[in-house]
Amino acid sequence: MNHGLARIAHGLLDYPSLRPEQLQPAFLSIRDANVAALEQIIEHSGPAPGWDSLVLAVEQLDQRLEDLLHMLVPLVYESQAWAVEVDACNQLLLDWARYKHEHSRLYEAYQRLDPAQLDDERQAVLKLILRAFRHAGHGLGAGAREQLHTTEQAIVGLEQQFMSNLIQAREAWTCLVPHEARLAGLPGVERDRLAVKAAAQGQAGWLLDLDERTVQVVLEWADARDLRKEVYQASRQLACDLSGNYALDNGPVLQALLRLRHERARLLGLANAAQLSLEAKDSRDTSQVEAFINALIQQNSARLQEELKAMQVLGSELGIEALAPWDVAYLGRKLRLQGNEAIDASLRERFPLGSVLKGLWQLHEQVLGVRIVACDVAGWHPDVQVLEVMDGHARLGHIYLDAYQRPGKLPWPYSYPMRQRHVEADGVVTLPAVLLSCCFELQPGQVTPNLDHADLCKLFHEAGHALHQLLVTNQHRRLNRTATSALGADACEFVGTLLEQWCWSAPALLALPQPETGAPPVSLPQMQQWLAGKRRFQAVAEAEQLRLCWFDLVAHCDDRARHDLRQLAVAATQQVGLPQAFAQDRFAEGFDYMVTGYEAGYYCYKWAQVHAIDAFSAFEAADADHRALGRRLRDEILAKGGMRRMTASFNAFAGRPMSLEPYARRHLSP
């Protein structure tokens, strides 16, 4: 079908030839053709429809629109014109999905398929299809279905409002520091970065804002306690009633959002919003998730109190009479670095992005048996590099690597599935493609940015997500999309977190190609000591994460909790054992994961982390055969996708159920 959007080798879009005005006509043409084709498919389905003639035929219609839309999503951040057109196409896609899921004859045709005649993969696909119909309200009366649709639209509107309020509140706060002395303690490279920010605004001095890196740097390094307090409070009081801008207060927005999510769940016959969320996750039981969170809280409790006492002792030596929340990151860094100062300084120039990427691709080849090589294909921006992933002579798919920050682009790293593997009835295979987007900043005079350990972890994590999308091997695309909406947040984050664990391996870091800096080489014992130091004094950060997990779960389990979200936030602080001073944090109003597809699922980060560290312990064993383990990792975890639940894949890889002990050793030992 010629719809005016040029494609090049391997079905990739010819991005340089695209124009915004092409998009809506192309989508309208495909949608209209889909509607006509769907009627023909249903008309010929008969009393005993076939898999190819019904399921794969309808899937081909979905694929036309979905693959095109997902390939266009990166353009949203290139200009307002692209954003408007891609959003309009997304609405057309949603309209198509609603039309299809409200089609009673199509639903009846799917129900006439006999599951007993289907293999395991086809049964899994059919289950997902029927669940989508149920979530769209099929089977409800006309009035209830219309109410469900209205509720869905209102939920989307509130989610967009929540994020818009948060972004506006974050962008509204800046602090110009006119005298460098007030930035005492910050590394020189960070002071330079803040000076560049100020110059870009036409100001002289050093400009602080509330991007994640700036907040973290100030809280960990700034000697000026009043500056730490100012930045801490600004970052923890975003979009709430304390900000003074009531139009951006997310408190009422979140309260209304939770009410509607509970109403949606009840319309679908479920007790609460959490149960609806868990339908796509590894655990199906809210009590199991609650017990998991509480087990981690209990495990962290003693270490938390010990670390707070140690911080108070150091704080007293530095003239801090009473430990405050804005002192924790600063004192924790000082305690972690004790004995590691020289190693830490020597490693700041050791991880330039170019060398890290080369080493990362080498690691994937050594462990997973895949080669990642440059491909002579243009992306949507000159910064975008297109990579081919190869297994021997077989091409597995493509990665679009967009490494650098630029205006309009999302300021955090992420992986986005642009297309998933799919085998059509005639055997034609669609190869997957994925966006790996990072936000590294090139400072003046730099050829490539230097990464700190946190940057390494984020890059390895998101590259793990990207590789996962390319290594799923099911026949049907519905089982191969590695997005939270399809695979579940826990299974998605499990893979990213597992491949991130090589950043905590001293041999793996030492194996990364090293630049010529003139500095003496870092030994294996020194690297091990440095990594061990980074694991220390993290109990407060652990408690803060568990606070979010507990708050998120309870807010979506208990409809009554939403009536006083402030009290629920205080209760979450108390539940995890943080000092009373932390109860003043207004974290709920700035908790963006509540509106990004992780509702009642923030715990998945911990669920994934515990499983990932346990799985990685196999690679850390003295006699580990990394290539054999990598092959098993591909076969039992990466390749399975949505074919089976995460726990089953973990058990197949490890040969046993998950244990909390490796996690405790990694994060909670002194």
Side-chain angles (χ1 to χ4, degrees), residues 112-123:
R112 289 198 297 273
L113 289 166
D114 182 2
Q117 302 301 315
L118 305 178
D119 61 23
D120 290 345
E121 184 172 321
R122 292 179 175 185
Q123 287 186 36

Side-chain angles (χ1 to χ4, degrees), residues 593-608:
Y593 283 88
M594 297 290 276
V595 298
T596 56
Y598 280 78
E599 63 270 14
Y602 189 75
Y603 78 90
C604 290
Y605 279 101
K606 285 298 167 191
W607 190 275

Side-chain angles (χ1 to χ4, degrees), residues 241-286:
D241 56 0
L242 298 179
S243 66
N245 188 343
Y246 296 106
L248 300 181
D249 182 6
N250 269 339
V253 178
L254 183 56
Q255 189 175 56
L257 183 59
L258 288 166
R259 175 179 60 82
L260 290 175
R261 284 177 178 168
H262 283 294
E263 289 181 3
R264 175 179 60 185
R266 285 192 288 268
L267 280 169
L268 294 173
L270 299 168
N272 53 54
Q275 286 191 354
L276 179 59
S277 174
L278 291 185
E279 284 195 345
K281 295 179 174 62
D282 188 36
S283 174
R284 301 289 195 265
D285 186 352
T286 56

Side-chain angles (χ1 to χ4, degrees), residues 457-472:
C457 290
K458 292 173 184 176
L459 175 59
F460 276 56
H461 182 104
E462 297 304 332
H465 284 316
L467 204 58
H468 190 193
Q469 178 66 64
L470 272 60
L471 295 182
V472 185

Side-chain angles (χ1 to χ4, degrees), residues 281-284 487-495 604 606-612 636-637 641 643-653 658:
K281 295 179 174 62
D282 188 36
S283 174
R284 301 289 195 265
L487 195 57
D490 40 17
C492 285
E493 296 304 338
F494 172 45
V495 172
C604 290
K606 285 298 167 191
W607 190 275
Q609 191 178 32
V610 168
H611 283 79
E636 299 296 354
I637 294 177
M643 185 57 202
R644 65 184 181 195
R645 288 167 61 178
M646 175 187 145
T647 294
S649 293
F650 173 89
N651 292 348
F653 171 79
M658 183 272 293

